[in-house]
Amino acid sequence: MSHTLTVLAAVFAELSLLAVGGANALLPEMQRQAAQHGWMTPAEFAALFALAQAAPGPNMLVVALVGWHVAGLAGALVATLAFIAPAGLLTYTVAGLWQRFREADWRVAIQAGLTPVTVGLVMGAAVLLCRASITGVGTFLVVLAAAAALLVTRLHPLWMLAAGAALGAAGVL
Amino acid sequence: MQHPESPPTLAALFGGFFWIGVLGFGGVLPLARRSIVEQHRWLSAAEFTDLLALCQFLPGPNIVNVSVALGGRFRGPSGSVAAVAGLLGAPVAIVLVLGGLYGRYANIAAVAHGFAGLTAAASGLVLATALRLAGPLRARPASLAIAAAGCVAVAVLRLPLLPVLAVLAGVGVTIEWRRR
């Protein structure tokens, strides 16, 4: 494996085991690592995240896009496999033991204790993505409108993404 | 566990998770529940809730963990591989095609502007998710403080996740442990 692929594998394998609150909670660290390794700017990261949101499938697809951006198809595969393998192996191993510890006090305390941390990380993701994607009044209003639409309507999120893209393509932002 | 039918084959696991992957937009867990519990009857509702609790407790992407655990429960390691491959194969291919198209046409002004709008909307959706998650914490100042500290640590101070997680999870779990 080339040096770049090795670094990709190491970064995403670590992220796999740090993913305690879903993929959104990992976005700040992913963006930080991508910038630190010189892979992309925060704005490029935000664009890849948006692209992943517009595709079907789990939230983690941004991982494949980051790998692809860094090292093409091989990068996409390495990043994806590195991201799912460590946690997957852990899950496979622990699944059989789950009945033994699921009612344990320590298990409940860990899960409850992690919840506010996860919320903070998702808040951090929101701050970073907004900072990268708000370039003027128009994009600022799109951020607010999409957030409000998700909070107060039952519209499918794809409508918000489509509306944002259409407004942008029409040149009104 | 009592299941009326024999355990699903590798092809059935691949196929079941394939449709969960390609039909799931913006979070696939609700779809996974419908498919696994109601359509295929691989698990009862209670079993699914229990499996999801495990997968949310362990690190890693939740739905991938669900596919690993479910595939493994029925067919061992090859079941896990079949379920994960079914879940991720098509979505990864689709997103890479989209990425390739974006890379090729990003220099066209309308595409670039459309992307700026798409990116802003996606950011807004994450903002709404964050607000929705934070809502239940309002009644608990300690939890809010931990969340705020996490947000500042990663978004303002740009600290690495590992130490942030170690410190804040330590504080959070200690508080929960003492409450018991």
Side-chain angles (χ1 to χ4, degrees):
Chain A
M1 261 202 297
S2 77
H3 177 66
T4 309
L5 291 180
T6 313
V7 174
L8 267 178
V11 164
F12 283 100
E14 184 195 354
L15 283 169
S16 177
L17 294 173
L18 294 181
V20 293
N24 279 346
L26 273 189
L27 293 173
E29 178 69 2
M30 232 183 270
Q31 194 216 57
R32 192 189 70 83
Q33 294 262 12
Q36 192 191 333
H37 290 287
W39 292 337
M40 63 190 74
T41 64
E44 286 172 318
F45 181 82
L48 291 187
F49 171 72
L51 191 62
Q53 292 305 100
N59 282 338
M60 55 153 289
L61 289 179
V62 65
V63 168
L65 279 177
V66 170
W68 167 81
H69 184 94
V70 174
L73 187 58
L77 296 177
V78 166
T80 304
L81 288 176
F83 189 61
I84 60 178
L89 284 173
L90 184 67
T91 301
Y92 190 87
T93 312
V94 172
L97 307 171
W98 176 237
Q99 297 302 332
R100 270 192 236 165
F101 67 85
R102 104 193 147 119
E103 304 294 342
D105 278 349
W106 61 264
R107 208 280 302 172
V108 179
I110 288 175
Q111 197 141 20
L114 283 174
T115 300
V117 186
T118 301
V119 174
L121 296 177
V122 178
M123 284 163 42
V127 169
L128 290 169
L129 288 172
C130 288
R131 200 189 285 160
S133 63
I134 295 174
T135 53
V137 177
T139 42
F140 175 66
L141 292 176
V142 169
V143 166
L144 289 188
L150 191 68
L151 286 174
V152 302
T153 73
R154 305 207 53 170
L155 283 173
H156 195 284
L158 271 185
W159 289 110
M160 284 69 119
L161 297 177
L167 286 171
V172 294
L173 298 183
Chain B
M1 281 197 312
Q2 274 118 39
H3 294 286
E5 297 139 59
S6 58
T9 62
L10 293 179
L13 285 168
F14 182 93
F17 279 97
F18 174 87
W19 289 114
I20 292 171
V22 294
L23 296 180
F25 280 94
V28 295
L29 280 174
L31 187 65
R33 188 183 190 290
R34 207 179 313 146
S35 169
I36 291 169
V37 176
E38 288 161 31
Q39 190 187 347
H40 295 292
R41 299 176 187 273
W42 288 336
L43 297 177
S44 69
E47 285 169 339
F48 182 83
T49 304
D50 196 41
L51 182 69
L52 190 58
L54 165 74
C55 295
Q56 288 174 332
F57 173 67
L58 294 177
N62 294 333
I63 181 62
V64 177
N65 285 349
V66 167
S67 61
V68 166
L70 190 76
R73 182 185 293 200
F74 290 124
R75 293 284 169 188
S78 47
S80 296
V81 172
V84 172
L87 177 73
L88 290 180
V92 167
I94 291 168
V95 86
L96 292 182
V97 168
L98 290 177
L101 291 174
Y102 170 58
R104 178 175 295 184
Y105 299 112
N107 51 357
I108 299 173
V111 174
H113 291 149
F115 238 82
L118 175 71
T119 307
S123 303
L125 296 180
V126 175
L127 179 62
T129 305
L131 292 173
R132 192 178 274 167
L133 287 172
L137 302 185
R138 268 177 310 188
R140 300 193 44 196
S143 297
L144 268 188
I146 290 172
C151 177
V152 170
V154 297
V156 180
L157 306 177
R158 305 302 280 128
L159 297 174
L161 181 58
L162 183 58
V164 171
L165 205 50
V167 171
L168 292 181
V171 174
V173 173
T174 306
I175 291 173
E176 288 298 326
W177 184 252
R178 292 227 170 129
R179 276 158 52 91
R180 264 144 233 282

